[in-house]
Amino acid sequence: IQMTQSPASLSASVGDTITITCRASQDIERYLAWYQQKPGKVPKLLIYSASTLYAGVPSRFSGSGSATEFTLTIAGLQPEDFATYYCQRYSSAPRTFGPGTKVDIK
Amino acid sequence: EVQLVESGGGLVQPGGSLRLSCAASGFSFSVYEMGWVRQAPGKGLEWISYIGHDGVVTFYADSVRGRFTVSRDNVKDVMSLQMNSLRAEDTAVYYCVRDLHGGATPFEYWGQGTLVTVSS
């Protein structure tokens, strides 16, 4: 199963709402997670089961989708949100990651 | 506090071997499924290995299958990754990861990573 993400990168301003799309080449039900990684830092889990917010993650992050198409939305970008975001399927091995979407400041 | 501390990284020649360790603390190690994820310099995340809670079941990415072996010691709370026949493309930061909970779940905890450089 291949995972793709779009766009590969995007530029946005503080306060913007952005959406990142992740697509799976086969039906993965809702076994989809989103991670955030800042430069030089360890990835952090944001969302799992496609739409469940991990503990402590701000509510401006939301996820949706099922089967083969998923989205991560950040409503009202904050300065600390500029990072690279990865989706991942985890229902079975291989637990493939998407190639990532880099969000930077416009 | 959950901690995952990797060790064993370093510089190795192509064709060489290296053994990474991940020392776990702050949780019941034997209950959780674990794994390894790597990230080549400037690149994305690559899942490479999974090990079940009792060490019986293991899975590998195609890129490392037959060369890497994951194992765990549930007495010492340590997971290991034996890496053989190393190639330049194995150069990466290797992260130890722990599942969120039992079953098919994402990675809740990540170690700080250990850098493996394969070069002559």
Side-chain angles (χ1 to χ4, degrees), chain A residues 31 33 35 37 40-45 47-49 54 86 88 90-100, chain B residues 33 37 39 43-47 50 59-61 95 99-101 103-113:
Chain A
Y31 293 99
Y35 299 85
Q37 186 179 32
K41 301 296 186 181
V42 174
K44 293 184 178 180
L45 177 63
I47 288 170
Y48 62 98
S49 297
Y54 180 63
Y86 296 92
Q88 182 206 21
Y90 58 83
S91 55
S92 61
R95 297 187 179 185
T96 312
F97 289 92
Chain B
E33 297 157 5
V37 173
Q39 186 168 34
K43 302 297 184 182
L45 302 171
E46 180 186 14
W47 171 85
Y50 159 97
F59 293 108
Y60 301 91
Y95 295 105
D99 275 18
L100 178 60
H101 51 71
T105 59
F107 305 136
E108 180 179 19
Y109 288 101
W110 298 61
Q112 287 302 306

Side-chain angles (χ1 to χ4, degrees), chain A residues 69-84:
Chain A
E69 187 154 335
F70 304 85
T71 60
L72 170 69
T73 298
I74 309 175
L77 269 173
Q78 297 299 299
E80 60 268 30
D81 300 335
F82 292 95
T84 299

